Amino acid sequence: MAASATFRRSRTTSVVLVAVALVAGLLLAAQPASAASKGRSTISGKVSTASADKRARDGVTVVAYRRSASNRWVRQKSVRTTRSGAFTIKRVPAGTYRLLARSNSWKAVDRWFGGGTMWDGGPRGRTLTTAGGKSFKVKAGKTSKRHHTKLAVAGEVRVTFVDDRGVKPVMGTVVFRRHADREGDWRWRSNPRDDTTRLRALEPGRHILEYWGAAGPARRSYVVVKADARTSVTLQVPAIIRTLGVAPSLRVLPTAWGADKITVDRSSRTFNYPNDKLSFTYQWYRSGVAIAGATGPEYVSSAADRSQRLWVRMTASRPGYAPVSVESKSTAVSRSTTTTALTLSKSTARFGETDTIIATAKVTAADGGPVAGEVRFSAGPPGCAAESTCSNLRWTAYADVNDSGVATLRLPRRLSVVKQIEASFWPLVHPTGFVSPSTARAVPITVVPRASRTKVSLQSKSVRRGARPKVTVRVTVPGGISPHQIVGSIVVTANGKKVGSWKRSTFPPTNKVKITLKRFSRKGAYKIRAHFVAASTPQTRHQLLSAAKPSTSKPVKLRVR
């Protein structure tokens, strides 16, 4: 007889087990809650604005600053408000905080929560003053709610400078601060030097403007800024022509015959008055000696300028004003002429295989010295280089010249059927010296057209008697071809008789041609073929040749009912 044992659970044992389970559950639940609350505090609130413009309250940035152990307020995190102005800053550590609202438009002024407006609300670490908002504490794992501030409506001042004689515009610099801030409470805000300055996002009230011309003593003025309005003010600066501390720049244009053109770049500003308010005179110098007769804004170099330094003295004047002169930086002219020789590794290749040809250009200086620059290789219809409408018809590529004066380049794979390859050298213009440009003699090349494939498709395979069927013709070659490289016409036949054609020399960008055929007056079945007839002579004003040979499509059946 098998032995058996029975475990009889007592009431006391049940109570103990339940108690242990409850305690364990509480411990397990409390442990993740403590871990989850650590470092996950939240700050929420709302920002409103007194401006009626929606842009003033759309996308305000709220920056949270936390007090560090060294009693400095350091930027902790920032968020953008919603369109209603609400914001929530999540996952911040516990501590003491202050909030700054930064407007992202010119219609409102930055403001501290619980404090005053800010001239500069940039989110950078700083030691805040007592006026820098109201501080509050954030507990670990808790949410600090209901923080609110209202941004004041901003104004704008447009400053225009005029000299003491009433001439404008004239360049000046303005820095400003709010009058109520007094000296030293807040730093000056500065604007770059210009004829006209717009001071934006200003708090309404009286402001101090400190300004000066290109140089000279500073002056002060006051301006009253109105909310949501633009105030214009004219500030007077001394009537003195002054330089801006920038030397005039020179443009050097080398020529193939060695006589370089050097011009003064008057597009940039050199004086505090615009160029149209001043009169200019020039004097060119060669190694510190004035060049007789060189008194214009442009100078053409001569053989005497080789290996010399050139610069110009530019004098600005105006009736009643003292003239002021400024000197440009010196530059060199081309030291020697050059010659460029072009060669091809082979002169013949099929279309689609022209990348087997390597073009080499050898640049030699007349004085035997080194050359630096790049060679421009090109091929295609003459005159296309200056026309934007046919830039795709002409191939152009560049290669740097090495220390031996050689530039090499592999031709493109699908070069059009061109007659010659061209190359021209352009020097690297450097103030310390350079050489003249040169153009190589063009080298002939033969690009053999490739066998093409013509395909025709019907818009409808069955039409009624008297209808005009429509077909689509496409011409391709193995490896691909561009539309402008297909030069010729299309003839469509039905049972050997011509029923349609297309004669426009070059194909459209889609590589497809749509043709409407003649009317079919008899019922029956017809075999439709398309014949691509390649042009035997250059076509269009750009003298284009076809890279595709003639071909005929397979027949497609058309039923006329």
Side-chain angles (χ1 to χ4, degrees):
M1 186 173 181
S4 62
T6 303
F7 176 74
R8 183 172 294 176
R9 188 169 49 186
S10 66
R11 185 176 300 176
T12 304
T13 304
S14 300
V15 172
V16 172
L17 291 174
V18 170
V20 171
L22 288 173
V23 172
L26 290 174
L27 290 174
L28 291 173
Q31 190 171 3
S34 176
S37 63
K38 188 176 181 180
R40 293 190 177 183
S41 303
T42 303
I43 303 173
S44 63
K46 188 175 182 180
V47 179
S48 59
T49 178
S51 175
D53 195 334
K54 294 181 179 180
R55 293 175 295 180
R57 61 176 180 270
D58 186 16
V60 176
T61 300
V62 178
V63 186
Y65 289 89
R66 181 174 177 267
R67 183 156 54 190
S68 65
S70 59
N71 204 30
R72 287 184 60 86
W73 294 91
V74 182
R75 177 184 180 274
Q76 187 69 37
K77 211 168 186 179
S78 64
V79 295
R80 294 192 66 168
T81 62
T82 62
R83 291 190 175 182
S84 63
F87 69 92
T88 302
I89 306 176
K90 300 179 181 180
R91 298 179 179 274
V92 295
T96 304
Y97 283 84
R98 285 179 179 177
L99 299 178
L100 171 67
R102 299 185 63 234
S103 174
N104 295 317
S105 74
W106 305 113
K107 298 293 183 179
V109 186
D110 300 346
R111 189 182 188 92
W112 289 103
F113 282 67
T117 56
M118 275 289 298
W119 270 111
D120 184 13
R124 295 184 294 272
R126 59 168 68 86
T127 301
L128 303 181
T129 63
T130 55
K134 182 179 179 181
S135 61
F136 58 93
K137 291 186 178 181
V138 177
K139 297 181 180 180
K142 301 295 183 180
T143 299
S144 182
K145 303 179 181 179
R146 299 179 181 178
H147 297 281
H148 176 263
T149 191
K150 190 172 186 179
L151 301 184
V153 182
E156 179 180 328
V157 174
R158 186 180 181 89
V159 177
T160 302
F161 292 98
V162 59
D163 70 9
D164 293 331
R165 298 188 179 185
V167 177
K168 65 178 181 180
V170 58
M171 190 171 284
T173 303
V174 60
V175 294
F176 59 99
R177 75 170 126 200
R178 187 165 172 255
H179 180 58
D181 293 334
R182 297 191 180 92
E183 300 286 339
D185 288 346
W186 300 97
R187 70 178 182 85
W188 289 88
R189 294 187 69 179
S190 178
N191 276 71
R193 181 170 56 192
D194 205 348
D195 296 328
T196 302
T197 301
R198 296 176 68 179
L199 311 179
R200 311 177 81 171
L202 300 184
E203 182 182 359
R206 197 179 186 196
H207 295 258
I208 303 174
L209 301 180
E210 185 173 288
Y211 61 96
W212 53 86
R219 300 180 181 183
R220 282 199 175 189
S221 181
Y222 294 89
V223 62
V224 177
V225 179
K226 298 180 180 179
D228 203 14
R230 178 183 296 176
T231 303
S232 297
V233 61
T234 301
L235 303 179
Q236 288 189 340
V237 296
I240 302 174
I241 302 175
R242 298 184 185 274
T243 64
L244 300 180
V246 180
S249 58
L250 301 178
R251 291 182 177 180
V252 182
L253 180 63
T255 60
W257 55 90
D260 305 326
K261 292 182 180 180
I262 309 172
T263 58
V264 180
D265 183 11
R266 291 188 57 184
S267 61
S268 58
R269 194 154 167 182
T270 309
F271 300 92
N272 56 333
Y273 289 88
N275 292 341
D276 58 355
K277 301 290 184 181
L278 302 172
S279 299
F280 298 97
T281 58
Y282 305 88
Q283 177 60 60
W284 292 86
Y285 291 82
R286 179 194 303 121
S287 298
V289 179
I291 303 174
T295 57
E298 180 180 294
Y299 176 72
V300 180
S301 65
S302 61
D305 299 320
R306 300 283 186 192
S307 303
Q308 302 292 326
R309 305 291 299 180
L310 301 180
W311 53 274
V312 66
R313 175 175 291 166
M314 182 178 176
T315 303
S317 61
R318 181 180 173 85
Y321 292 70
V324 176
S325 298
V326 63
E327 296 176 355
S328 71
K329 294 182 179 180
S330 63
T331 185
V333 296
S334 56
R335 70 170 199 275
S336 173
T337 57
T338 61
T339 56
T340 302
L342 174 64
T343 57
L344 300 178
S345 59
K346 60 180 183 178
S347 59
T348 303
R350 284 202 313 164
F351 174 79
E353 299 176 356
T354 49
D355 57 343
T356 59
I357 301 177
I358 297 178
T360 303
K362 173 66 175 176
V363 182
T364 305
D367 61 356
V371 295
E374 64 180 7
V375 174
R376 176 179 180 268
F377 297 90
S378 60
C384 267
E387 296 183 27
S388 58
T389 56
C390 68
S391 58
N392 62 325
L393 305 181
R394 187 173 178 84
W395 166 75
T396 302
Y398 298 85
D400 292 332
V401 177
N402 60 23
D403 295 338
S404 301
V406 178
T408 59
L409 188 73
R410 187 179 295 275
L411 300 188
R413 180 182 178 186
R414 288 189 288 270
L415 182 66
S416 300
V417 179
V418 296
K419 294 295 185 181
Q420 60 186 22
I421 303 296
E422 304 160 1
S424 57
F425 166 70
W426 187 258
L428 175 63
V429 178
H430 196 274
T432 58
F434 52 93
V435 292
S436 298
S438 58
T439 301
R441 180 177 297 179
V443 176
I445 185 175
T446 302
V447 180
V448 181
R450 195 160 186 174
S452 65
R453 296 174 183 174
T454 301
K455 183 178 180 180
V456 62
S457 59
L458 294 167
Q459 184 175 350
S460 178
K461 295 182 179 181
S462 178
V463 296
R464 292 181 178 275
R465 185 178 64 177
R468 299 188 64 184
K470 295 181 179 180
V471 299
T472 301
V473 181
R474 183 170 184 173
V475 178
T476 60
V477 300
I481 190 171
S482 298
H484 69 272
Q485 296 169 332
I486 306 173
V487 184
S489 58
I490 299 293
V491 176
V492 181
T493 60
N495 294 344
K497 293 184 179 180
K498 181 179 177 181
V499 291
S501 63
W502 179 85
K503 298 178 180 179
R504 293 186 186 175
S505 299
T506 58
F507 270 47
T510 58
N511 248 16
K512 296 179 180 179
V513 173
K514 295 183 178 181
I515 304 173
T516 301
L517 307 182
K518 295 180 179 179
R519 297 184 188 278
F520 284 70
S521 58
R522 293 183 180 182
K523 297 180 180 180
Y526 296 86
K527 291 184 178 180
I528 306 298
R529 285 186 172 90
H531 309 268
F532 168 63
V533 182
S536 58
T537 58
Q539 300 293 310
T540 74
R541 63 189 179 91
H542 299 304
Q543 300 294 292
L544 299 179
L545 293 169
S546 179
K549 291 182 178 180
S551 60
T552 300
S553 70
K554 293 181 180 180
V556 293
K557 292 183 180 181
L558 172 66
R559 179 173 169 266
V560 179
R561 60 185 188 276

